[in-house]
Amino acid sequence: MNILVIQGSPDPASMSAELAQVYTDKARQADHHVEAIDLSHEPNFDPVLRFGYRRHMDDETLPNRWQEQIRRARHLAFFFPIWWTAEPSILKGWVERVLTPRFAYRHDQGKLMETGLLGGRTASITTSCQGPAAYVRMPGGVITRWKYFILGNCGIKLIHTDILGRMDSTKDTPERREAFERRVLANMPKAC
């Protein structure tokens, strides 16, 4: 299976970056074809959508390259922390600059929701937060927004989420993180 791993933390030493790399390595060992985007190593990426969708930015090189990677992928694996009840701003900017109209979705007159143009793909989200994992899963929370209003609007089906909550508590031990990593790897799609 063609998998695209998107690491959305700006910190290259983050747990998200570490997990994304472990996932990438294990997916390759499992005979998946894997491409990776690590936003912590993209100093030339401007995540600010400066003109909305009214006009293109001066340099669309990176977003165009990432769109090609999405076209090749059957599964998108997102790794990011939750900060202030949302993904980091660099990942939000990636969504805005890459999952664009006429590539990821289109507006149809008279329809409430967009028509997704990236159907036939699945996605998974691996995330961590300082609060309880239940807060991330709450209706209207970040997982709901990603499932229905980001991925869903693009036609991508969210099939799995792994959330490690209470990162600031005494419960956060190396053993707990290792168990979480094993769970994330066990939920990887099977090779086709």
Side-chain angles (χ1 to χ4, degrees):
M1 174 181 285
N2 290 343
I3 296 177
L4 178 59
V5 175
I6 300 103
Q7 193 292 109
S9 171
D11 179 2
S14 68
M15 189 178 92
S16 294
E18 180 183 325
L19 277 172
Q21 186 60 58
V22 169
Y23 184 97
T24 297
D25 294 343
K26 293 294 183 184
R28 286 181 177 140
Q29 291 171 12
D31 291 329
H32 293 289
H33 173 63
V34 183
E35 294 185 80
I37 297 167
D38 186 342
L39 294 177
S40 71
H41 294 295
E42 295 292 351
N44 296 323
F45 174 55
D46 179 0
V48 179
L49 186 65
R50 298 188 182 281
F51 310 108
Y53 296 119
R54 178 174 53 83
R55 72 174 239 220
H56 286 281
M57 307 259 301
D58 291 337
D59 185 1
E60 294 287 341
T61 305
L62 286 172
N64 289 338
R65 184 180 85 207
W66 294 332
Q67 287 176 345
E68 287 305 314
Q69 289 177 299
I70 292 170
R71 281 187 181 97
R72 291 189 293 269
R74 293 294 71 156
H75 181 78
L76 286 69
F78 289 90
F79 292 81
F80 59 90
I82 303 293
W83 295 341
W84 286 97
T85 71
E87 64 281 344
S89 59
I90 194 165
L91 181 57
K92 173 91 166 48
W94 183 91
V95 167
E96 292 173 353
R97 296 223 31 224
V98 175
L99 300 180
T100 57
R102 293 177 300 286
F103 166 71
Y105 64 90
R106 74 171 182 261
H107 296 287
D108 291 327
Q109 197 72 349
K111 283 194 174 180
L112 181 61
M113 300 293 286
E114 285 83 6
T115 298
L117 301 177
L118 298 174
R121 290 169 182 79
T122 58
S124 58
I125 293 174
T126 301
T127 191
S128 59
C129 58
Q130 290 185 347
Y135 288 177
V136 177
R137 292 191 190 282
M138 285 178 24
V142 67
I143 297 300
T144 300
R145 188 169 56 81
W146 272 79
K147 180 176 183 173
Y148 296 106
F149 302 111
I150 297 175
L151 299 171
N153 273 346
C154 298
I156 301 169
K157 182 178 180 182
L158 180 62
I159 59 170
H160 197 80
T161 58
D162 284 302
I163 305 165
L164 185 61
R166 294 290 188 195
M167 295 290 296
D168 62 343
S169 75
T170 56
K171 293 180 181 181
D172 186 39
T173 63
E175 296 79 21
R176 181 173 177 254
R177 288 188 184 204
E178 288 170 11
F180 181 72
E181 180 181 300
R182 286 192 300 273
R183 189 171 77 224
V184 169
L185 296 176
N187 291 320
M188 181 185 300
K190 303 301 179 222
C192 297

